Amino acid sequence: AITAGGIAVNAIDQRNKSADADGDGENAVLDTSEQQTVSGRVVGVVMRLPELESLLVDKVKGVGWVSKYGEEESFGLLRSEVKDSEGDSGQLAEQLQLNPLLRMNRAECLL
């Protein structure tokens, strides 16, 4: 939980620094309530990540059109994860590093 909290705090700090650097002003900087909401969600996801990833794979597997049309990446998943629940963690890590859209879709679906 401490590591997850650190991840959340770092992400919020980076977000606020970006908003300041972009000149977006105070409206773009997260207030205390927004920071607590984001932190709570990040900690919740990180603490339950394996369970949430498994649930996401199961839900996507249950919808036939996703595989039929090759839309696994729209849900932040690799085709190999959906075909084989174990997937290849090395390939997944590499793709998440290289593909920001895959990374964003996965994060959104896990929230």
Side-chain angles (χ1 to χ4, degrees), residues 7-23:
I7 291 169
V9 168
N10 288 339
I12 290 169
D13 286 344
Q14 288 178 352
R15 164 60 169 84
N16 286 341
K17 286 177 187 174
S18 298
D20 283 340
D22 290 344

Side-chain angles (χ1 to χ4, degrees), residues 15-51:
R15 164 60 169 84
N16 286 341
K17 286 177 187 174
S18 298
D20 283 340
D22 290 344
D24 290 337
E26 292 182 26
N27 292 334
V29 175
L30 299 176
D31 65 28
T32 302
S33 173
E34 292 168 327
Q35 289 179 21
Q36 289 174 344
T37 299
V38 170
S39 294
R41 289 182 182 169
V42 169
V43 169
V45 168
V46 170
M47 296 300 295
R48 295 174 189 85
L49 189 58
E51 176 187 343

Side-chain angles (χ1 to χ4, degrees), residues 54-68 72 75 77 81-83 85:
S54 177
L55 183 61
L56 178 60
V57 169
D58 289 344
K59 294 294 183 182
V60 170
K61 273 185 181 180
V63 180
W65 65 263
V66 176
S67 291
K68 180 179 179 181
E72 294 87 354
F75 297 90
L77 297 173
E81 286 183 281
V82 177
K83 287 183 179 177
S85 293

